[in-house]
Amino acid sequence: MPILKLTDICKDYIQGKEPVRVLKNINLTVERGDYLAIMGPSGSGKTTLMNIIGCLDVPTSGSYELDGRNLKDMSDDDLAEIRNKHLGFVFQSFHLLPKMDALDNVALPLLYAGVPVKERRERAAEALKAVGLAERIHFLPNQLSGGQCQRVAIARAMVGKPDLLLADEPTGALDTKAGNQIMDIFHRLSQEGMTIIMITHEPAIAACADKTYRILDGELHTGEGKPGGDRHELEPKE
């Protein structure tokens, strides 16, 4: 059974008095363990698509099944529970709480899930160790580099053992060296069996995934898959 299946997903927004179609009959099937990139320019609809996959928005029409469960007509509370229990998020701007150290930032989703304090701190420490930050668990975000902050964000996304990891421009705010480190972590997570969907406008980032899709003017097109899950080094940014 696919972990995710989108069927004829459309999304309209009202501009003035007229509806504008941002997503046009999107069809996408993701198998467990897939590592795929959705690439498109600004305004192509890729962030709208990510928001629907992440249950941060709902489609105007079409069907969204997550692990065999149809999400149509779910309440906001139900969608929030799905986000907390089944999805992990990594954003370009990290979204770390500035007054919390790395450990507490990573443990936050477990707090919302009702995990006891001792267990959530142990799991958060393990997640930070897995991204190479065992020595910085008590550092505040302003004491960490951009790459380290993104690794904290990845640890936070991993700590709840989600069914699906969603990454929106995960290297957009980073230099080339830090970007390569983040892509190395995603590659390792993929090799360990995690399902990853990554949104990007950068071809070099998309090339790190096993499958690539392109979105343009709200339409999704199948790209080329590549065998073996090879890691591509990113070129230095200008």
Side-chain angles (χ1 to χ4, degrees):
M1 177 188 298
I3 190 169
L4 179 152
K5 187 174 182 180
L6 305 180
T7 306
D8 291 329
I9 291 289
C10 295
K11 180 65 180 180
D12 297 343
Y13 290 108
I14 301 298
Q15 291 187 359
K17 295 183 179 181
E18 298 296 323
V20 175
R21 181 143 292 183
V22 179
L23 296 180
K24 305 169 184 175
N25 300 101
I26 299 289
N27 291 283
L28 177 66
T29 299
V30 180
E31 302 292 340
R32 195 173 296 274
D34 277 355
Y35 179 15
L36 63 91
I38 299 174
M39 190 172 73
S42 178
S44 61
K46 62 184 187 296
T47 297
T48 300
L49 178 58
M50 174 68 87
N51 287 341
I52 288 174
I53 292 173
C55 299
L56 297 167
D57 199 355
V58 294
T60 302
S61 61
S63 171
Y64 176 12
E65 295 180 23
L66 183 64
D67 204 15
R69 186 179 182 186
N70 196 320
L71 306 189
K72 187 177 180 180
D73 299 326
M74 281 194 171
S75 68
D76 290 343
D77 287 345
D78 288 338
L79 292 175
E81 183 177 2
I82 285 172
R83 288 195 300 271
N84 184 261
K85 292 185 176 180
H86 301 283
L87 303 174
F89 296 89
V90 179
F91 298 102
Q92 176 176 339
S93 54
F94 319 137
H95 292 314
L96 303 180
L97 296 182
K99 295 184 179 180
M100 285 187 174
D101 64 18
L103 186 72
D104 286 338
N105 265 288
V106 172
L108 199 57
L110 302 179
L111 170 65
Y112 295 146
V115 176
V117 60
K118 183 175 184 293
E119 180 183 347
R120 67 177 181 252
R121 290 177 72 84
E122 288 174 350
R123 287 171 60 178
E126 283 298 312
L128 284 164
K129 180 180 178 181
V131 297
L133 292 177
E135 305 301 319
R136 289 177 167 77
I137 63 173
H138 295 303
F139 281 47
L140 295 172
N142 65 6
Q143 297 172 312
L144 299 170
S145 69
Q148 289 168 341
C149 284
Q150 192 63 295
R151 282 190 271 164
V152 173
I154 293 171
R156 181 184 58 194
M158 292 165 42
V159 74
K161 300 178 181 178
D163 296 312
L164 179 61
L165 180 66
L166 303 174
D168 191 1
E169 301 283 5
T171 66
L174 306 178
D175 61 27
T176 303
K177 180 179 178 181
N180 274 316
Q181 290 171 343
I182 297 307
M183 289 298 98
D184 285 339
I185 292 172
F186 282 175
H187 179 71
R188 174 169 54 81
L189 292 174
S190 173
Q191 294 295 300
E192 293 171 356
M194 181 167 283
T195 309
I196 302 172
I197 298 178
M198 181 169 58
I199 296 288
T200 184
H201 69 278
E202 298 185 57
I205 297 298
C208 294
D210 296 334
K211 300 178 182 179
T212 303
Y213 294 81
R214 297 179 184 273
I215 188 167
L216 187 64
D217 296 330
E219 297 181 347
L220 190 67
H221 306 275
T222 303
E224 294 294 326
K226 58 180 174 54
D230 300 329
R231 262 285 287 116
H232 286 238
E233 288 292 316
L234 309 185
E235 294 294 332
K237 296 182 179 179
E238 297 293 335

